Amino acid sequence: MKIGFAGTGEITLAMVTGLSSSGNASHSIRLSPRNQAIAASLASRFPGVSVGSSNQEVLDFCETVVIAVKPQVARSVVSELRFRPDHHVISVVSALPLQSVRDLVAPATQVTRAVPLPSTAKRLGPTAIYPPDRLVESLFVSLGAVFAVDTEDEFDAMCAATATIASYFAFNDTIARWLAQNSIPESMARDYVGRMVFGLTTGAADAPERSFQSLASQHATAGGINERFLKHMVERGLLADISSGLDVILQRIRSASSES
């Protein structure tokens, strides 16, 4: 597959790294020159990756094009490009609705939205896509797991859930800092917390039939320290605040989409 990336930011970096590290030699990748540092680094690391002279040259080269430019410049950048009817377009631009993308990339008609995460670089990414598409699913399944949804509202909700990533790391940082305050060397505290949550996350991913609530109950032994800490969090409304925070994010996404 010939894949072109219009835009060379962090998501392009993650996707190209994952695709080029998967042992799949069937992809030939052409990158936008917009971020010379990232593009040149990827081209030097992977033999199947090259840098185009312009975004249009990238489109002329590829069959599948990934639009990965920043939301604030997406319309101006994409509107200047000439798409072909046979182009398969994947937009990873947040808050740009499917219909808006279709209008921008006409006469191309095969258009899919996706929300890949940085973990695609290690082929561990959960990627939500809309609408379902076999080619797009086959591309992202090589980068982790694919979650195809049937409506744009469902896709927006999946996008909103990714807003918790920074808070997840901040939560873990609080634990590590607390350990450091209790005489644990900072590097050891960081490694300990990282490995603790990695083990728990891996266990949850390996048991998709188990609800997170059942896993919480399993670890919250009656009278134990996990039960006490969970009770502390619930009593202070911290878990309820997560849901209300996600509601705010989802509303922001939908408002931005309606303005696009």
Side-chain angles (χ1 to χ4, degrees), residues 3-260:
I3 307 173
F5 285 81
T8 320
E10 293 301 318
I11 293 302
T12 294
L13 173 63
M15 286 184 63
V16 173
T17 300
L19 289 169
S20 302
S21 305
S22 66
N24 189 340
S26 63
H27 297 316
S28 181
I29 297 173
R30 188 70 55 89
L31 301 176
S32 163
R34 287 179 67 90
N35 188 318
Q36 283 288 350
I38 291 179
S41 174
L42 288 169
S44 66
R45 288 168 59 195
F46 305 114
V49 178
S50 60
V51 183
S53 59
S54 66
N55 277 332
Q56 186 60 54
E57 193 273 337
V58 169
L59 264 67
D60 294 342
F61 160 84
C62 72
E63 304 153 346
T64 300
V65 54
V66 180
I67 301 174
V69 295
K70 294 180 179 180
Q72 57 267 37
V73 299
R75 284 186 174 277
S76 61
V77 171
V78 178
S79 63
E80 295 176 352
L81 302 175
R82 299 183 303 278
F83 290 81
R84 301 192 308 267
D86 65 312
H87 269 138
H88 213 120
V89 179
I90 302 171
S91 171
V92 300
V93 181
S94 62
L96 192 62
L98 184 67
Q99 188 56 54
S100 295
V101 180
R102 284 175 170 162
D103 292 342
L104 287 168
V105 303
T109 58
Q110 300 176 94
V111 182
T112 305
R113 294 184 67 191
V115 56
L117 302 180
S119 52
T120 56
K122 295 186 177 295
R123 303 187 301 282
L124 295 172
T127 303
I129 69 170
Y130 167 75
D133 182 283
R134 288 185 179 180
L135 182 144
V136 178
E137 289 186 39
S138 69
L139 180 67
F140 282 109
V141 79
S142 67
L143 298 173
V146 179
F147 296 84
V149 294
D150 295 322
T151 71
E152 198 149 32
D153 282 346
E154 292 172 326
F155 181 81
D156 287 343
M158 299 286 267
C159 290
T162 68
T164 61
I165 293 174
S167 298
Y168 166 82
F169 285 116
F171 179 83
N172 293 334
D173 181 66
T174 301
I175 300 170
R177 287 179 180 274
W178 181 88
L179 283 172
Q181 292 168 4
N182 283 272
S183 304
I184 306 298
E186 288 188 7
S187 60
M188 182 183 293
R190 162 63 179 81
D191 194 31
Y192 180 80
V193 174
R195 292 178 184 276
M196 178 178 70
V197 296
F198 175 75
L200 295 171
T201 302
T202 301
D206 288 342
E209 75 284 355
R210 296 283 305 276
S211 70
F212 286 113
Q213 182 57 53
S214 73
L215 292 171
S217 298
Q218 175 187 331
H219 287 83
T221 305
I225 59 175
N226 269 270
E227 181 191 54
R228 182 66 193 88
F229 186 79
L230 179 58
K231 182 179 180 181
H232 176 88
M233 300 284 281
V234 171
E235 287 175 345
R236 281 155 180 76
L238 297 179
L239 299 186
D241 279 348
I242 294 174
S243 294
S244 62
L246 284 169
D247 287 340
V248 170
I249 297 301
L250 182 57
Q251 181 57 45
R252 174 178 170 176
I253 289 173
R254 289 177 175 166
S255 296
S257 295
S258 66
E259 296 169 0
S260 297

